[in-house]
Amino acid sequence: MFEALNLKQIAKEPIHIPKQRIASNSVVNFFARKLISEPLERKIGLNPDVKVTHFAYFTEGSNRFQPDNYTQAMLFHADSDRAVIILPQRSRGYEFAQLTAHYLASNGINGIVFSPPLRGSRLPHDIKDIKELPLVPAEIISLLNQTVGEVKGLASHFYEQFPYMGVCGFSQGGFSASLTYGTDTNFKAAATVLSGGNLASILYHSNDGLALKLQEHFRDENITEAELRETLKFVEPCLYTNNKKDGILIINSTNDSAVPSIYGQELADAWDTLEYLEIPGDHKRTVLKQIPSVMEELYEHFKLNLK
């Protein structure tokens, strides 16, 4: 499990910083950006002159749904030997991974946004979200194993340039970030945001769209929570802490019904870390409302631990 997968670089080019898109409707997106995201982005002081390089890779990782074996990453450049690979949330919309990479780079830490399996361009052409796919528990194992393997493969391209490497994940990306950190000592620090441990209970009780779809399968197949926990033990973040007692920051929100804070606390307990933080809000709007404090917490954490 979690072996590094080979990623072969096939393209590299400088690009402009991608414009954030909050909503698919152009009118809603325009006003959302003007009234919400742009003021927050100005408040946290993003450097508009940060250079960005886009990378394309051929990956040996595969699953039965992805249309091809290509993935991509964006490097937000900073003048340092420290970098953080950032995994996005499952759903599209405001790209917190991109924001984090931009913020870190604006403050001297390179940010690398990774495109994980079954998200965006890595979904089948007629599918907009992973929750539309007929996933079963065994494929959750495969998906997390592939994601972690690809993150490790991506990191291998940058170790010489950035020997002090961290990993960060939002929501679904947080499970992979914790598993990566817990199974690879090359990573010096990690952070999860709105994620947690006890994956079986999260999937069995969450009101997240993907979890709700899986719960239909659990009912149809009479899969109990205990049976699900036994199946998912191979990718349970709480079981992969690699005896590390520090270097991981865990951020959850107080009123999150998709990933309740009790599961963030379970992950913190498994890591035996005191770096556990709860912020006010729910799952979907929390980070957008709390951008200044979340970005500062992430930056200070990686600044302290990437050494």
Side-chain angles (χ1 to χ4, degrees), residues 35 41 82 85 94-95 109 118 127 153 176 189 231 248 265:
L35 298 176
E41 290 165 6
R82 298 176 294 177
I85 295 175
Y94 197 84
E95 297 287 355
I109 300 175
L118 299 184
I127 299 294
S176 298
T231 298
I248 186 167
Q265 186 63 65

Side-chain angles (χ1 to χ4, degrees), residues 2-5 7 81-87 104 109-114 145-160 162-169 173-192 240-249 271 301-302 304-307:
F2 307 125
E3 294 297 319
L5 294 173
L7 270 63
D81 58 0
R82 298 176 294 177
V84 180
I85 295 175
I86 307 158
L87 295 162
L104 291 177
I109 300 175
N110 297 276
I112 305 170
V113 181
F114 177 61
N145 186 46
Q146 181 183 352
T147 304
V148 173
E150 290 183 349
V151 169
K152 293 178 180 181
L154 177 67
S156 68
H157 285 265
F158 292 100
Y159 282 139
E160 184 174 344
F162 309 130
Y164 303 102
M165 182 72 73
V167 61
C168 174
F175 302 119
S176 298
S178 183
L179 289 166
T180 300
Y181 188 54
T183 57
D184 192 333
T185 56
N186 288 309
F187 288 86
K188 310 303 181 185
T192 69
Y240 294 91
T241 56
N242 206 26
N243 297 318
K244 295 173 181 171
K245 300 300 182 184
D246 53 19
I248 186 167
L249 169 66
W271 278 104
H301 171 72
F302 286 114
L304 177 65
N305 288 283
L306 292 182
K307 57 185 180 180

